Amino acid sequence: MRWRHAVRATFTPTAATESSPLLGKVISNSRAPQIAHEMLVEYFMALLVIMGLTAPVDKQSRRSSQYFGHMAAAEDLSNLIPDNYDGLDPLFDNSTEREIIAALGTTARLHCRVRHLGDRAVSWIRQRDLHILTIGIMTYTNDQRFLARHIDNSDEWVLKIVSVQPRDAGIYECQVSTEPKISLAYKLIVVTSKAQILANRELFIQSGSDINLTCIAPQAPGPYTHMLWHKDTELVSDSSRGGIRVVSEQQMKTSNLVISRVLHTDSGNYTCSADNSNSDSVFVHIIKSEQHAAMQHELGSRLDLPPLPLLLLAVLLVVLLAPTPSSTPLNPRATP
C-alpha cells in the first residue's frame, strides 16, 4: 500500500500561558476552533489505528512536530487514508465453481474472486497439511506443479495445478489476510478417465473415400460430456474445409467424425478430447489408389509361400510324424 505522508499540527501550551491563566484563557478562546479541529483529527487517527489502517503515533513524536498553519492540519484527514482504500471490507464472490473435477494428468484451475481486496493478500492453502502454497503471485512450495495466476486490476486469483495426481484430491482454501482472516473452501476431485477412438493408431485411407471415426468416454464424470475433435492443432469444427460432420451425444458420451471425399491434405493427427478426461489420438494417412493396390499386393505376397519350400515342408512333416520300427529282437528257434 502507498501512503501519503503529512505532518500534523498539534496545539502545545507555551510558557506564557502557563504563567498567566488570564492570558491562557484568552488564547484558548481565540484558538477554540483550531483545538476542536485537532481533536477531530486525533479521534480519526485513533479510529484508523483501531481499524488497522495505520500505526499509533506516540505523544513525544507528536510534540516534535511544529505548527505549519491551519491549512496543513486541514489536509490531515485526506493524507491519512490510503489511495486504494474504498471503505469496504473484502468479501468473496460466491459465483465461482467450488467443486472442481479434473482427470488424472490434466491441469486443474481453482478460481477465487475477492471484492474490495485493498492492500490485503490472497493465499492458497492445502487443508490436509495446512501447507501455504501461494501468497499473491508467489509460490511457497517445492512442488513446481502449483502456480498462482492473477491479472492486474482483476478480482480473480487462480491456483493452477499441472499434471494432477490422485494425491492432489482434497480441500483447498482461498484465504484473505484480514483480521480475523476470512477463507473459502474449494474441493478438487481427481478421476481416471480417458477418451478412446475406436480405431487403430494408424489408418490408411484411400484418396476420395470417407473418414469415419468414433470416440467414446464412458468413464467421464457427470451426466453429460462435451467432446471435441482436433486435426493436429486446429479444431475440426473451425476448419474451412467442407464435407465435415460431427455428431456428438453428450448423454451417451460418444462422438462421431465423418470427413467426406478425403484428400492428401486431410492426412494428419486426429485427436478426440472430452470433459475431465485424457485425450486420444490416431494418425491418418491419405494414399492414392495405386499406392493402396500396391500395399494390398505386398501384404498378400507376404502370406504366399513358393511351391518348393512348401513341398520341402510337407516332406519334413511326413518324416517327423512317421512311426519308428520296433527294436525288440526276434525269439530264437527252439531246439528239439
Side-chain angles (χ1 to χ4, degrees):
M1 176 187 298
R2 182 173 65 86
W3 289 83
R4 293 173 295 189
H5 301 282
V7 179
R8 187 171 52 84
T10 305
F11 174 74
T12 304
T14 62
T17 59
E18 293 175 353
S19 61
S20 175
L22 180 60
L23 181 58
K25 183 177 181 180
V26 172
I27 294 176
S28 298
N29 290 337
S30 63
R31 301 187 63 179
Q34 181 180 346
I35 294 174
H37 179 78
E38 291 175 352
M39 292 177 63
L40 178 61
V41 173
E42 194 76 29
Y43 172 78
F44 189 76
M45 287 188 63
L47 182 61
L48 290 179
V49 170
I50 294 174
M51 296 173 64
L53 296 176
T54 188
V57 181
D58 56 28
K59 293 182 179 180
Q60 185 63 32
S61 62
R62 292 200 301 266
R63 290 195 185 98
S64 63
S65 62
Q66 301 296 322
Y67 176 67
F68 289 98
H70 182 74
M71 295 303 296
E75 294 178 355
D76 287 346
L77 295 178
S78 61
N79 290 331
L80 290 172
I81 301 176
D83 293 341
N84 59 349
Y85 178 63
D86 54 12
L88 300 175
D89 293 330
L91 55 89
F92 291 106
D93 183 347
N94 291 319
S95 63
T96 56
E97 182 67 37
R98 295 175 58 190
E99 184 172 287
I100 296 89
I101 301 175
L104 183 68
T106 61
T107 298
R109 292 176 177 83
L110 283 62
H111 297 260
C112 179
R113 294 195 187 103
V114 184
R115 308 294 188 192
H116 316 300
L117 181 62
D119 66 326
R120 281 80 169 187
V122 174
S123 305
W124 281 100
I125 300 173
R126 187 169 53 205
Q127 193 181 78
R128 63 178 168 86
D129 55 3
L130 299 180
H131 189 96
I132 299 176
L133 302 172
T134 66
I135 300 178
I137 59 173
M138 303 299 295
T139 303
Y140 291 88
T141 176
N142 293 329
D143 193 338
Q144 298 181 357
R145 298 180 304 115
F146 290 88
L147 302 168
R149 291 290 180 262
H150 173 69
I151 300 176
D152 291 341
N153 301 320
S154 72
D155 295 328
E156 190 164 76
W157 300 81
V158 180
L159 176 64
K160 182 179 178 181
I161 308 175
V162 180
S163 186
V164 170
Q165 302 299 315
R167 66 179 183 273
D168 298 326
I171 305 298
Y172 294 81
E173 289 187 3
C174 176
Q175 187 180 94
V176 180
S177 61
T178 54
E179 191 58 43
K181 294 179 175 59
I182 58 174
S183 62
L184 195 64
Y186 290 74
K187 183 177 182 180
L188 175 62
I189 301 173
V190 180
V191 298
T192 303
S193 177
K194 179 178 175 61
Q196 181 181 2
I197 299 176
L198 304 179
N200 295 328
R201 299 302 89 186
E202 281 191 281
L203 297 176
F204 295 88
I205 308 296
Q206 185 176 348
S207 177
S209 59
D210 298 343
I211 294 177
N212 194 330
L213 298 175
T214 299
C215 180
I216 61 174
Q219 297 178 335
Y224 301 97
T225 299
H226 185 58
M227 306 178 74
L228 296 173
W229 288 92
H230 288 81
K231 177 185 176 293
D232 299 324
T233 59
E234 181 185 9
L235 190 65
V236 170
S237 58
D238 292 341
S239 174
S240 59
R241 183 200 190 283
I244 298 177
R245 184 174 75 254
V246 177
V247 179
S248 298
E249 293 289 342
Q250 294 189 7
Q251 190 170 4
M252 299 298 295
K253 303 178 182 179
T254 63
S255 182
N256 184 249
L257 169 66
V258 177
I259 303 178
S260 302
R261 299 179 179 276
V262 295
L263 304 172
H264 180 70
T265 54
D266 294 318
S267 296
N269 191 70
Y270 287 81
T271 302
C272 171
S273 58
D275 290 341
N276 302 311
S277 302
N278 293 311
S279 60
D280 191 22
S281 299
V282 298
F283 198 93
V284 176
H285 301 269
I286 306 300
I287 58 178
K288 297 180 180 179
S289 301
E290 296 80 3
Q291 291 176 316
H292 184 266
M295 291 179 63
Q296 293 292 337
H297 176 72
E298 182 181 356
L299 181 61
S301 63
R302 292 176 183 175
L303 299 178
D304 294 335
L305 293 174
L308 182 59
L310 184 60
L311 178 61
L312 293 176
L313 179 60
V315 172
L316 180 61
L317 289 175
V318 170
V319 172
L320 292 176
L321 296 178
T324 58
S326 176
S327 60
T328 304
L330 298 174
N331 293 327
R333 176 181 295 180
T335 56

